[in-house]
């Protein structure tokens, strides 16, 4: 789901999570293209600067996380010689329900008879997953190009490790779309949205004094 909110005069914030602002305009419900997206572009005609989130906004996060979780579970099967039936579905359901909660693997591995100590390696494999699927995944690339062609200035503020988020942008063909990219590091909880930390990093870009 993509939502748009006026953050200040001439600036719009677009994100998949509507908690950041009070007055939100829901402009898309079930897809990344078609009439709802055209409505989104129309809503942005009056702004000069647009700030985007990445995951769940510019592409469907499941296009990365589904294959990444599957790869981790396959590795666990090979390591443990256990079938681990249902683990992949449980991990995906937990991720969808509470994606910013830490300990995804630590919490669920013991439920399937695996040591929680494997959680760190699972997390490392998840974050280092190549994500080649994203090169052919639907995204808002055409819409970003249209905004840039119309003179809009674009920025990105995203929760996630910089190296992982940069890989996603590259695979999606979006790495050159933005004037500036702000990566809110999960290792620094005070940076994570809905904190205003990322927004404050854009003061110069948005012309704030």
């Amino acid at each position: 789901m993509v939502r748009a909110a006026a953050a200040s005069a001439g600036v719009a914030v677009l994100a998949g999570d509507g908690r950041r602002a009070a007055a939100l305009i829901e402009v898309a419900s079930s897809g990344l293209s078609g009439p709802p997206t055209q409505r989104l572009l129309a809503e942005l005609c009056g702004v000069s600067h647009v700030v985007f989130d990445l995951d769940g906004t510019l592409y469907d996060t499941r296009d990365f996380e589904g294959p990444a979780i599957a790869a981790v579970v396959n590795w666990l099967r090979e390591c443990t010689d256990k079938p681990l039936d249902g683990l992949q579905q449980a991990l995906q359901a937990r991720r969808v329900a509470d994606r910013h909660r830490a300990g995804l693997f630590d919490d669920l591995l013991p439920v399937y008879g695996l040591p929680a100590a494997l959680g760190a390696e699972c997390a490392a494999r998840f974050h280092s997953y190549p994500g080649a699927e994203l090169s052919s995944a639907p995204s808002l690339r055409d819409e970003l190009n249209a905004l840039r062609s119309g003179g809009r200035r674009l920025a990105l503020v995203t929760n996630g490790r910089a190296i992982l988020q940069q890989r996603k942008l590259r695979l999606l063909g979006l790495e050159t779309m933005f004037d500036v990219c702000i990566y809110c590091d999960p290792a620094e909880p005070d940076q994570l949205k809905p904190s205003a930390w990322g927004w404050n990093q854009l003061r110069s870009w948005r012309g704030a004094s």
Side-chain angles (χ1 to χ4, degrees), residues 12-15 44 49-55 57-59 139-145 147-148 152-158 165-166 168-170 172-183 202 205:
V13 179
L14 279 80
L44 297 175
H49 293 59
V50 188
V51 185
F52 285 89
D53 188 13
L54 174 58
D55 298 308
T57 300
L58 297 180
Y59 79 106
S139 74
L140 292 184
R141 182 168 53 248
D142 291 345
E143 287 75 14
L144 294 178
N145 271 321
L147 289 169
R148 284 167 54 88
R152 308 301 184 276
R153 297 192 60 188
L154 309 182
L156 181 80
V157 178
T158 176
Q165 302 303 75
Q166 289 166 353
K168 293 175 184 176
L169 288 171
R170 184 173 65 255
L172 290 164
L174 304 179
E175 60 183 335
T176 63
M177 295 289 184
F178 303 98
D179 301 329
V180 59
C181 295
I182 304 298
Y183 304 101
L202 296 175
W205 172 81

Side-chain angles (χ1 to χ4, degrees), residues 1-187:
M1 179 178 292
V2 179
R3 295 177 182 265
S8 64
V11 182
V13 179
L14 279 80
D17 184 342
R19 292 176 296 175
R20 233 197 86 88
L24 296 170
I25 306 167
E26 186 172 321
V27 294
S29 58
S30 61
L32 292 172
S33 62
T37 305
Q38 297 307 312
R39 289 174 52 202
L40 168 60
L41 294 176
E43 294 286 351
L44 297 175
C45 287
V47 301
S48 59
H49 293 59
V50 188
V51 185
F52 285 89
D53 188 13
L54 174 58
D55 298 308
T57 300
L58 297 180
Y59 79 106
D60 188 332
T61 314
R62 295 170 296 184
D63 288 336
F64 174 83
E65 294 187 347
I69 288 173
V72 171
V73 173
N74 286 337
W75 173 76
L76 285 169
R77 290 191 181 108
E78 293 173 0
C79 289
T80 64
D81 200 27
K82 293 184 177 181
L84 302 178
D85 295 336
L87 176 57
Q88 180 176 335
Q89 292 78 6
L91 288 166
Q92 290 173 334
R94 155 68 192 280
R95 187 69 173 173
V96 169
D98 196 357
R99 60 175 293 98
H100 296 306
R101 178 181 163 194
L104 170 64
F105 297 100
D106 297 345
D107 290 349
L108 284 171
L109 293 184
V111 177
Y112 288 81
L114 301 176
L118 285 173
E121 177 64 19
C122 289
R125 287 176 175 270
F126 175 84
H127 290 116
S128 64
Y129 181 72
E133 296 86 351
L134 292 187
S135 63
S136 58
S139 74
L140 292 184
R141 182 168 53 248
D142 291 345
E143 287 75 14
L144 294 178
N145 271 321
L147 289 169
R148 284 167 54 88
S149 296
R152 308 301 184 276
R153 297 192 60 188
L154 309 182
L156 181 80
V157 178
T158 176
N159 286 348
R161 295 170 173 81
I163 190 170
L164 172 58
Q165 302 303 75
Q166 289 166 353
R167 186 189 322 138
K168 293 175 184 176
L169 288 171
R170 184 173 65 255
L171 289 165
L172 290 164
L174 304 179
E175 60 183 335
T176 63
M177 295 289 184
F178 303 98
D179 301 329
V180 59
C181 295
I182 304 298
Y183 304 101
C184 306
D185 191 343

